[in-house]
Amino acid sequence: MRTEKIKKHFEEEANEFDIIIQKLIPNYNQMIDALVSVIPFSDEKTFSMIDLGCGTGTISQSVKSRFSNVKITCVDIAEKMLEIAKDKLDGNIICIQADFNKFDFPEKYDLILSSLALHHLENDSDKFAFYEKIYSALNQNGIFINIDVVLGSDDALQDVYMKKWKEFMSKNVSDEEINSKWIPTYYAEDRPTQLTAHLDMLKNSGFSSIDVIYKYFNYAVYIGKK
């Protein structure tokens, strides 16, 4: 089952994840900075946040470094990822091990974040259903921000996206590793969709003030408000 393969993959790579992601994802730190920059709360505000597909907690840690009063819940399919995230945040988080396909939000939040995770949902119908769940799980005036991999709007553009991604990875890992490991993993595990489709799904889920705050070929950061 694909979900089990994804879980196994992330459990095995948890200890090296922070190194791997810098090698594979273009401008990852810049995307995080973009995400944190548009959180529309005062630095002293107390608010609740849930990080979907938290990985090792890098996003949550970045939010916490600016908003000291944030109350964080981290969700990930991999137990080892959650253990590292909890350590990064000095144990001051709630951890939930869960598969998005079966996940129900335990409460409502002021801020819902996700990073490089929602593209694992199988198809646009699943993504739309999850966006509806996210909308329902936000408090009024709540914010959703997502970092994710996206498809080009046509085959020619997608070819450019893949070329640029491979060019970035080749600066950090061998061509053999790219072609034998990371590209096959992408096709086996990831189910990205077009950015315009994401924006339409957010609108149809009820979100307003939808915007793209960062984009670099096949990676994007976008926001919606309730």
Side-chain angles (χ1 to χ4, degrees), residues 71-85:
K71 298 178 180 179
I72 299 173
T73 298
C74 284
V75 181
D76 204 273
I77 197 171
E79 183 178 359
K80 287 184 181 179
M81 291 288 195
L82 289 168
E83 290 172 359
I84 295 171

Side-chain angles (χ1 to χ4, degrees), residues 9-28 56 58 81 116 165 168-169 172-173 177 181-182 185 219:
H9 167 196
F10 286 118
E11 292 284 13
E12 291 173 348
E13 293 181 351
N15 290 331
E16 301 296 324
F17 185 77
D18 287 348
I19 296 171
I20 291 171
I21 203 164
Q22 294 288 345
K23 292 180 178 180
L24 302 186
I25 309 300
N27 306 326
Y28 182 61
T56 61
T58 299
M81 291 288 195
L116 304 173
W165 183 38
F168 174 82
M169 289 192 288
N172 305 301
V173 298
E177 182 177 334
K181 182 174 183 179
W182 299 117
T185 297
Y219 288 94

Side-chain angles (χ1 to χ4, degrees), residues 156-207:
L157 199 53
Q158 179 60 17
D159 286 344
V160 174
Y161 284 10
M162 294 300 288
K163 179 182 178 182
K164 296 298 289 187
W165 183 38
K166 289 178 183 179
E167 285 178 359
F168 174 82
M169 289 192 288
S170 69
K171 298 175 184 176
N172 305 301
V173 298
S174 68
D175 288 344
E176 180 182 359
E177 182 177 334
I178 292 169
N179 293 319
S180 65
K181 182 174 183 179
W182 299 117
I183 296 301
T185 297
Y186 169 81
Y187 286 116
E189 297 183 2
D190 297 356
R191 299 293 184 267
T193 195
Q194 297 173 7
L195 178 58
T196 51
H198 283 292
L199 303 181
D200 286 343
M201 285 187 274
L202 289 181
K203 182 178 180 180
N204 291 331
S205 298
F207 285 95

Side-chain angles (χ1 to χ4, degrees), residues 120-145:
H120 290 304
L121 291 165
E122 182 65 32
N123 52 48
D124 283 5
S125 294
D126 292 338
K127 292 178 178 67
F128 178 61
F130 201 64
Y131 281 142
E132 289 185 310
K133 278 188 175 183
I134 289 171
Y135 185 84
S136 295
L138 281 169
N139 289 320
Q140 192 60 38
N141 299 316
I143 309 294
F144 168 64
I145 314 172

Side-chain angles (χ1 to χ4, degrees), residues 15-111:
N15 290 331
E16 301 296 324
F17 185 77
D18 287 348
I19 296 171
I20 291 171
I21 203 164
Q22 294 288 345
K23 292 180 178 180
L24 302 186
I25 309 300
N27 306 326
Y28 182 61
N29 294 337
Q30 190 174 347
M31 289 194 287
I32 295 173
D33 181 67
L35 180 152
V36 175
S37 295
V38 296
I39 297 173
F41 303 137
S42 66
D43 294 354
E44 301 78 21
K45 179 179 173 63
T46 297
F47 63 94
S48 59
M49 176 191 116
I50 187 166
D51 185 350
L52 303 171
C54 67
T56 61
T58 299
I59 302 293
S60 289
Q61 185 182 45
S62 297
V63 175
K64 183 72 172 178
S65 68
R66 177 177 165 189
F67 302 96
S68 58
N69 294 323
V70 61
K71 298 178 180 179
I72 299 173
T73 298
C74 284
V75 181
D76 204 273
I77 197 171
E79 183 178 359
K80 287 184 181 179
M81 291 288 195
L82 289 168
E83 290 172 359
I84 295 171
K86 193 166 188 177
D87 185 59
K88 272 188 183 180
L89 276 297
D90 298 322
N92 193 25
I93 58 172
I94 296 169
C95 290
I96 301 173
Q97 185 178 4
D99 172 3
F100 290 159
N101 294 288
K102 305 171 184 176
F103 181 67
D104 290 316
F105 289 85
E107 58 183 89
K108 291 194 173 186
Y109 302 88
D110 300 305
L111 177 64

